[in-house]
Amino acid sequence: MGEPRARGRFGEYGGRYAPESLVEACREVEAAFREAWADPGFRGALAELLTLHAGRPTPLTPARRLSQELGVRLYLKREDLAHTGSHKINNVLGQALLAARMGRRRLIAETGAGQHGVAAATAAALLGLEATVFMGERDMERQALNVFRMRMLGAEVVPVTTGSRTLKDATSEAMRHWVGVTGDSHYCVGSVVGPDPYPWMVREFQRVIGDEARAQCAAELRTGVPDHVVACVGGGSNAAGTFAGFADTPARLTGVEAEGAAGAARGRPGVLHGSHSLFLQDDDGQITPAHSIAAGLDYPGVGPEHAHLRGLGRARYVTVTDDEAAGAAIRLARTEGIVPALESAHALAWVIRAAGDGELAAGSTVMMTLSGRGDKDISTLKELL
Ligand SMILES: *Cc1c(COP(=O)(O)O)cnc(C)c1O
């Protein structure tokens, strides 16, 4: 998984479908990122932030009791232990450092459940930047605690009242807002979506998950490489970062989507938020609403690199239901003492199903990214107990 080809293309997907002023701003972000990523000084500064502030490297934990029950050897890459509770911090620290290097004084971000907004507000506070976070009005009601966390961190939270008043609309609004302020503000996209260079840049900032996991597997496993690598897919950033570490190995890559938000498994080609990719849409090409019990998976599409990996057959994309995910969350809590985010529980639900139906051979090794912790989901989970 290297650089995209000309003009930010992953095969036929990707690109930069944006108004002219944003195309120019994206060019500036791309030039700045290329230069920074080739600079050992930038890499060193980011590595230090990830260690001292975000708690990296995160452990690779053998799930001993659950493995025994399932008949496979399951290892968990513990992004739930990263600062602010998920992998999102890896990306925002990279982009905040880049924004400061570009002389920008403010971060703009969109957020659904509030996890990316909280991470962006955290990175902004750490580096002395301002933060403006766009959030659907409906999500603000559902995720009041994260709204408060963002305000506590000094961010301005802007309610979005258009459309379904959720993540898709917050993203559109954040992009519209950026048009007028590209000179002093950096748009910090939260996943491997959006116009080039975001899908590529965000994957590079999340690659730390896969690189660490690869080295940890090399030390832990007799074969050095797991048979299977599994991650949940919303926009696809934790999966892209995970897969990047194993792309050149024989490991089978599986992305797990929510049944009601399966952009990669069931979407059709289209353009949304500046990128050509796979989206849920009707016969007129209108984007249809996504649904998932996990707010972080509640997005009607998937990043262009996943569309490409699916096309190549290098990764496969499968789905699980809300009930399967909730059941997996409870099972992990009771076998391993870990309450996972409902997003991450999707990946585990597929592992449980696949171990049961023989899709995962007995005794095979599985490296699964546990993208976040479940504190934010307690009110949802308590209804199910
Ligand atoms: C946001 C989020 C996701 C989904 O985002 P990706 O870009 O697909 O990784 C998954 N898990 C958690 C815990 C999240 O917060």
Side-chain angles (χ1 to χ4, degrees):
M1 287 163 70
E3 280 188 36
R5 269 189 268 279
R7 291 198 295 276
R9 292 285 175 173
F10 299 94
E12 65 185 281
Y13 300 104
R16 196 176 274 166
Y17 296 86
E20 207 151 341
S21 53
L22 287 194
V23 169
E24 187 47 42
C26 288
R27 276 200 201 106
E28 283 177 35
V29 174
E30 181 191 348
F33 174 65
R34 276 185 192 284
E35 192 214 10
W37 213 223
D39 175 3
F42 179 87
R43 294 236 187 185
L46 179 55
E48 187 175 280
L49 286 181
L50 289 170
T51 304
L52 298 182
H53 193 73
R56 301 210 75 86
T58 59
L60 183 73
T61 304
R64 293 216 167 84
R65 290 199 335 113
L66 185 55
S67 291
Q68 203 150 38
E69 290 180 12
L70 298 178
V72 299
R73 290 169 58 205
L74 175 62
Y75 293 83
L76 303 173
K77 181 61 176 159
R78 301 290 305 280
E79 295 304 292
D80 60 313
L81 295 178
H83 184 43
T84 70
S86 81
H87 67 291
K88 297 241 168 42
I89 194 77
N90 307 326
N91 171 42
V92 298
L93 286 177
Q95 288 199 55
L97 207 55
L98 185 71
R101 186 181 167 105
M102 293 174 76
R104 306 293 190 250
R105 59 171 189 85
R106 187 167 71 120
L107 296 183
I108 299 165
E110 80 292 338
T111 198
Q115 293 301 104
H116 174 58
V118 167
T122 298
L126 179 67
L127 296 181
L129 303 169
E130 294 171 29
T132 304
V133 181
F134 290 83
M135 189 170 187
E137 206 174 39
R138 242 186 101 216
D139 288 333
M140 285 180 72
E141 287 159 19
R142 291 192 290 189
Q143 304 288 340
L145 188 62
N146 273 342
V147 174
F148 174 74
R149 281 168 86 193
M150 288 185 268
R151 289 183 172 148
M152 169 97 194
L153 290 157
E156 179 195 9
V157 183
V158 180
V160 174
T161 55
T162 49
S164 56
R165 295 176 292 137
T166 59
L167 176 59
K168 175 168 88 58
D169 312 288
T171 306
S172 305
E173 210 51 53
M175 289 181 81
R176 254 196 294 279
H177 175 76
W178 193 32
V179 172
V181 295
T182 54
D184 78 343
S185 301
H186 172 75
Y187 180 23
C188 181
V189 177
S191 188
V192 287
V193 301
D196 177 58
Y198 286 98
W200 169 52
M201 177 170 74
V202 174
R203 181 252 280 157
E204 287 302 288
F205 287 140
Q206 293 294 1
R207 175 187 282 275
V208 65
I209 304 171
D211 286 346
E212 283 178 12
R214 174 82 179 271
Q216 289 164 323
C217 284
E220 180 78 21
L221 303 179
R222 192 178 40 76
T223 53
V225 178
D227 299 314
H228 293 271
V229 170
V230 184
C232 67
V233 174
S237 68
N238 86 88
T242 301
F243 291 174
F246 295 90
D248 63 349
T249 74
R252 179 108 197 247
L253 309 178
T254 304
V256 186
E257 297 188 294
E259 177 70 29
R266 287 207 245 303
R268 286 187 280 164
V271 171
L272 181 68
H273 298 143
S275 185
H276 179 60
S277 192
L278 297 171
F279 300 97
L280 301 178
Q281 48 197 310
D282 64 20
D283 289 338
D284 295 328
Q286 290 296 309
I287 302 298
T288 55
H291 163 79
S292 172
I293 192 175
L297 303 185
D298 212 339
Y299 184 73
V302 71
E305 188 166 29
H306 288 293
H308 184 48
L309 290 173
R310 184 187 100 163
L312 292 174
R314 179 62 190 94
R316 67 175 152 175
Y317 296 86
V318 298
T319 66
V320 304
T321 65
D322 286 358
D323 287 349
E324 286 178 297
I330 293 166
R331 190 149 175 202
L332 188 68
R334 293 179 181 183
T335 52
E336 301 295 333
I338 299 169
V339 178
L342 278 170
E343 291 83 359
S344 325
H346 282 69
L348 184 66
W350 180 79
V351 170
I352 291 170
R353 190 209 297 155
D357 68 16
E359 180 67 44
L360 295 174
S364 56
T365 47
V366 181
M367 199 310 285
M368 189 199 105
T369 295
L370 194 77
S371 56
R373 58 177 171 248
D375 308 35
K376 68 184 179 58
D377 297 317
I378 292 301
S379 65
T380 308
L381 284 165
K382 81 175 196 285
E383 315 271 299
L384 303 162
L385 287 182

